[in-house]
Amino acid sequence: MSFERVLRSALVAIAIAGLTAGILAALDGRTDLADLCWTLATVPVVAGLAVSIVRDFLAGRFGVDAIALVSMSAALALGQPLAGAVVALMYSGGNVLEDIAVARAEHDLRSLVDRAPREAHRCVDGRIEEVLVGTVAVGDRLLVRAGEVVPVDGIVSSVTAVVDESALTGEPIPVAKARGAAILSGSLNAGETFEMTVTAVAGDSTYAGIVKLVTTAQTAKAPFVRLADRYALVFLPVTLALALVAWLISGDLLRSLAVLVAATPCPLILAAPVAFIAGVARAARRGILVKGGGPLEALARAHTVLFDKTGTLTVGGARLLSVEVAPGETAEEVLLLGASLEQASHHVIAGAIVQAGTERGLHLKLPEEVREAMGSGLHGVIEGRRVSAGSREMILASSQVAEWATRAIRRASWRSALIVFVAVEGRPIGALLLADELRSDTPRAIRLLREAGVARIVMVTGDRAGAAQAIGAALDLDSVLAERVPTDKVDAVRSEQRLNPTIMVGDGINDAPALAAADVGIALGARGASASSEAADVVILADRLDRVGEAIEIAQRARRIAIESIVAGMALSTLAMLAATLGWLLPVPAAIVQEVIDVAVILNALRALNPGRGRAGGSMTAAAGHELHRSHLELIGNLDRLRSIVDELDDASPERAAVIIAEANKLVQDQVVAHERDDEGHVYPQLATVLRESHGLSAMSRAHREILHLARLLARVVEDLPSEKVDRYLVRDAQRLIEAVETLVRLHTAQEEDIYEAVAAR
């Protein structure tokens, strides 16, 4: 506990003791002793307040504390020590209530610091030794036991680890980390004991960076808090004027004293800091670290938001977009062989392909005799077959480019995608298209910003104009600035700043100058402290872009509550002063009324700790959301096969066309239709209990009906196949139906994921 808090506690104890002793003496008929006790209870508070006012005045601040000093001094001077003692108790008690409120609001921030590990278990020559975290060096092997916090950054070096990263990201679901995977300090071991190899010392680790940011958040002071002092410059002369009027109309100085007592300024002193600290604490609960009340107040005034593209609006790395296949092949086989072979490479593209195969539930094979041609691709043997995966130049160099391959190259060009061809025994069987894609929560993040009142959203990126314009059009952004270097980004920020309050959102080192230049810089720092996190005013610890809109919403609510508390407190104090002016309140009752106002103001300011009533009342469980996402991943594999069937129908013989149209129908009926019926019968009723209104679900149900209608039409086509001649017109009709189902289900699934993310985020 700080010295100031100890002193405040001591002053309130003296005030309570003096007031109580004086009351007992008065009951015993010893009025002189009672007056002395009350005077002794008041003088220390007056002295402490006088020192505080002088210190603030020398620092260039002059607040409403002066009214409390005047009221207590006047009470002693006018021979009303009881009123002075009551004011002293109310004022010092209000300060203690502020400390309690601040401590309550800061709890979520302090918990991050308090759980920082102090010791580590280092493996040395087959034994375990306990060492201080500060002595751990890069390359050391550490043992992390079940239930312990990971002390430093590293990589898993033994069995798969299961860790809870909620303290870092706000996400409640534990994640599995395979051998070789990066693991962040501050994560909680939610599984069995595992070993790790240190990659960063304690001072440079993720958690150390977060602790530094938390310390900044706790010590910063909001400019808006000083606004309360500016209110005081008006409130103080009004108070003195009413006290003068009370004396003039009554000729009684006690009535003027009652006015001064009723004006004791706790509402102004408490409202703003408590509301803003509560807002900062609420943001921390959601994985949003705001470096003090100043940035929080600036967030509330946001008009323009600038976004970086790569890693901010997009995932920031290669992701599998589609699988193109040669006639007679399947997307599953192409991805299985490609991902199995790429396991032997450390290239970032290889990692993306392996991840795509794993996410789709493929059981990857172990490659043998692998040879890697740097920058071109891989050759290896999988279950006795020679498999190659690589660039067009490597795979297609010795063969004529087939029509399907030409089509794949054209589609890759349209989507600004990288293409990796897969061949078996020298024969190309398919291609994998990879590109940086929108984050799944980006559309929702943009929508939340619009709902929060952000009027202008701009993307500023160093990427090519074509790729940037495609992203901008998909998100309906107000402007796209492409091919911008870091200095250009700073210029863009300053240009917007000249017009309106501006926020910059980024994640990379190249974004740091722009983040520092903006009114509020927001860094996506899910992987720990970096140059961008240091330069930013707000750090999103969770890997969620939609937290930006949520941060603005929290800031607006905190600012609104602060203003409400200040205005309401001043209004109630003014009513009490008017009552005292008219003689309806004596000094002691006026002090009690003022204390009731203080408590009401504190309780109102603490509302900023909680979400407003405008949010929906429920949420979907993490387990339910995970199961829905898993079912969608399974469905995507079937959609890939439908897409390959559509392409194969271009050149299929009548006999082959009949076979694959029947296969497509079976997939649609057994997988797609079953999935949509389950959504309509089980998932949507669950969502209806969570969402405030069902209009959105009604629109989604309309998509279900259209999908089922297309499925029925496809089934009719298949029923007629045995008796109908399979001509090009029938093939074209079937092709259109299959493509319509595939396209609509992909879009519908993406919309459902957006809803699930929104519901689970509450």
Side-chain angles (χ1 to χ4, degrees):
M1 185 181 291
S2 67
F3 174 75
E4 276 197 19
R5 292 190 177 183
V6 172
L7 180 60
R8 289 179 178 182
S9 298
L11 289 177
V12 76
I14 292 172
I16 291 173
L19 184 61
T20 303
I23 291 174
L24 293 175
L27 292 175
D28 194 39
R30 304 176 64 181
T31 56
D32 292 342
L33 180 59
D35 289 345
L36 177 62
C37 290
W38 291 329
T39 300
L40 293 176
T42 308
V43 169
V45 179
V46 171
L49 182 55
V51 171
S52 176
I53 289 174
V54 171
R55 184 179 57 195
D56 288 346
F57 183 77
L58 293 177
R61 298 190 301 270
F62 183 76
V64 77
D65 298 24
I67 301 176
L69 180 64
V70 171
S71 63
M72 286 185 283
S73 302
L76 294 178
L78 295 175
Q80 295 291 322
L82 175 57
V86 172
V87 174
L89 176 60
M90 299 301 115
Y91 182 78
S92 59
N95 287 332
V96 171
L97 285 174
E98 177 189 1
D99 291 338
I100 293 172
V102 169
R104 165 72 177 87
E106 288 179 339
H107 176 269
D108 295 290
L109 294 177
R110 289 201 316 274
S111 64
L112 285 172
V113 180
D114 293 343
R115 73 190 296 277
R118 306 289 193 273
E119 296 182 345
H121 314 300
R122 185 161 55 192
C123 305
V124 181
D125 299 329
R127 59 187 176 84
I128 306 297
E129 62 179 20
E130 304 291 329
V131 296
L132 295 176
V133 171
T135 64
V136 172
V138 174
D140 284 351
R141 289 177 58 242
L142 303 181
L143 190 72
V144 182
R145 294 169 179 156
E148 289 185 340
V149 175
V150 177
V152 292
D153 290 354
I155 58 174
V156 179
S157 57
S158 60
V159 298
T160 299
V162 179
V163 294
D164 177 0
E165 297 180 331
S166 58
L168 304 177
T169 67
E171 298 297 335
I173 303 174
V175 295
K177 301 280 186 177
R179 184 172 183 173
I183 193 164
L184 304 180
S185 58
S187 304
L188 178 70
N189 183 4
E192 300 296 326
T193 299
F194 66 89
E195 292 183 6
M196 61 175 286
T197 302
V198 177
T199 59
V201 297
D204 297 330
S205 288
T206 299
Y207 208 76
I210 293 175
V211 169
K212 291 175 186 175
L213 297 176
V214 171
T215 302
T216 303
Q218 288 178 312
T219 56
K221 182 182 180 182
F224 188 73
V225 173
R226 292 193 290 271
L227 183 61
D229 291 334
R230 291 197 290 272
Y231 275 116
L233 295 178
V234 176
F235 195 55
L236 178 59
V238 169
T239 299
L240 296 177
L242 282 176
L244 177 62
V245 169
W247 177 62
L248 291 176
I249 63 176
S250 66
D252 186 359
L253 287 175
L254 288 181
R255 186 174 293 190
S256 297
L257 176 61
V259 172
L260 295 175
V261 169
T264 303
C266 287
L268 282 178
I269 296 168
L270 303 178
V274 171
F276 277 109
I277 292 173
V280 170
R282 166 150 175 75
R285 290 182 188 173
R286 301 293 297 158
I288 305 164
L289 187 58
V290 185
K291 299 180 184 179
L296 195 74
E297 194 272 341
L299 272 176
R301 298 183 293 107
H303 176 278
T304 302
V305 177
L306 278 73
F307 282 101
D308 173 49
K309 182 181 82 72
T310 305
T312 303
L313 293 175
T314 64
V315 295
R319 293 292 188 275
L320 182 66
L321 297 184
S322 66
V323 181
E324 305 293 329
V325 298
E329 304 295 338
T330 66
E332 181 177 321
E333 181 71 4
V334 172
L335 181 56
L336 174 63
L337 293 176
S340 297
L341 184 59
E342 295 287 0
Q343 291 178 105
S345 174
H346 294 289
H347 196 279
V348 62
I349 299 301
I353 294 173
V354 172
Q355 180 182 356
T358 304
E359 286 180 347
R360 300 194 184 192
L362 301 180
H363 298 289
L364 304 186
K365 313 298 182 181
L366 183 65
E368 300 174 337
E369 303 177 24
V370 178
R371 292 180 295 107
E372 183 167 5
M374 296 303 295
S376 296
L378 298 168
H379 301 279
V381 176
I382 298 176
E383 295 185 330
R385 294 186 292 174
R386 304 200 66 81
V387 179
S388 302
S391 65
R392 172 185 178 182
E393 292 73 19
M394 187 181 96
I395 303 298
L396 305 181
S398 59
S399 62
Q400 184 178 1
V401 179
E403 289 186 5
W404 73 266
T406 300
R407 182 178 60 209
I409 294 170
R410 184 171 60 248
R411 287 176 175 175
S413 175
W414 288 344
R415 305 175 74 174
S416 300
L418 173 71
I419 187 167
V420 176
F421 284 93
V422 178
V424 176
E425 303 295 348
R427 181 178 63 85
I429 65 168
L432 307 173
L433 272 59
L434 301 104
D436 190 14
E437 62 179 353
L438 281 177
R439 301 166 66 105
S440 61
D441 60 339
T442 296
R444 178 173 185 266
I446 299 300
R447 188 178 70 251
L448 286 177
L449 290 174
R450 299 292 191 191
E451 292 174 355
V454 173
R456 180 169 167 79
I457 301 178
V458 179
M459 180 172 67
V460 53
T461 177
D463 205 351
R464 295 173 292 108
Q469 291 290 349
I471 296 293
L475 297 174
D476 194 24
L477 303 183
D478 297 300
S479 180
V480 174
L481 307 177
E483 300 178 9
R484 297 300 204 269
V485 299
T487 52
D488 295 331
K489 291 184 178 182
V490 173
D491 291 341
V493 167
R494 289 175 175 164
S495 176
E496 296 291 343
Q497 273 182 313
R498 284 192 285 269
L499 301 174
N500 294 292
T502 300
I503 294 173
M504 173 69 196
V505 185
D507 76 312
I509 294 175
N510 64 330
D511 298 321
L515 293 173
D519 293 309
V520 180
I522 301 180
L524 300 185
R527 292 183 176 89
S530 65
S532 59
S533 297
E534 294 292 338
D537 303 295
V538 179
V539 180
I540 307 294
L541 302 179
D543 191 20
R544 296 280 296 269
L545 186 63
D546 52 8
R547 292 288 197 267
V548 175
E550 192 169 345
I552 293 176
E553 178 190 85
I554 290 171
Q556 290 173 339
R557 176 171 166 77
R559 185 176 188 271
R560 184 168 60 250
I561 288 174
I563 293 175
E564 287 174 356
S565 298
I566 287 175
V567 172
M570 290 177 62
L572 292 173
S573 295
T574 301
L575 290 176
M577 285 190 292
L578 290 173
T581 301
L582 297 174
W584 297 346
L585 277 179
L586 296 177
V588 173
I592 295 173
V593 168
Q594 184 55 238
E595 182 62 13
V596 173
I597 295 173
D598 297 345
V599 173
V601 166
I602 292 172
L603 293 177
N604 186 68
L606 282 175
R607 287 169 45 226
L609 278 170
N610 303 310
R613 293 183 179 180
R615 301 290 298 271
S619 64
M620 179 177 286
T621 65
H626 182 71
E627 177 61 25
L628 291 168
H629 181 62
R630 186 192 62 77
S631 67
H632 280 170
L633 286 177
E634 293 177 354
L635 191 61
I636 292 299
N638 296 313
L639 297 180
D640 288 342
R641 177 55 186 154
L642 290 179
R643 176 179 289 176
S644 66
I645 288 174
V646 170
D647 291 338
E648 190 175 347
L649 284 172
D650 287 340
D651 306 308
S653 65
E655 295 75 14
R656 177 61 182 169
V659 171
I660 59 178
I661 290 172
E663 179 189 349
N665 179 63
K666 181 173 176 55
L667 279 177
V668 169
Q669 304 302 329
D670 294 350
Q671 303 297 328
V672 175
V673 170
H675 177 84
E676 303 305 335
R677 289 193 186 281
D678 182 67
D679 277 356
E680 190 69 31
H682 298 93
V683 178
Y684 281 22
Q686 180 184 355
L687 286 174
T689 64
V690 175
L691 299 174
R692 284 180 296 169
E693 43 79 22
S694 60
H695 302 304
L697 289 183
S698 298
M700 299 295 283
S701 293
R702 174 68 178 85
H704 282 169
R705 293 194 296 273
E706 183 62 24
I707 292 169
L708 296 178
H709 172 64
L710 292 171
R712 284 192 294 269
L713 293 178
L714 180 60
R716 288 292 303 274
V717 170
V718 173
E719 288 174 6
D720 291 339
L721 280 177
S723 59
E724 290 283 346
K725 179 182 177 182
V726 182
D727 56 25
R728 60 192 179 96
Y729 300 107
L730 180 63
V731 171
R732 184 187 302 167
D733 288 340
Q735 194 176 31
R736 287 173 174 171
L737 287 170
I738 296 168
E739 188 167 27
V741 169
E742 184 262 340
T743 302
L744 181 55
V745 173
R746 281 190 192 276
L747 174 61
H748 182 63
T749 299
Q751 292 172 327
E752 288 182 333
E753 287 283 342
D754 195 23
I755 291 177
Y756 301 157
E757 288 280 350
V759 172
R762 294 195 180 113

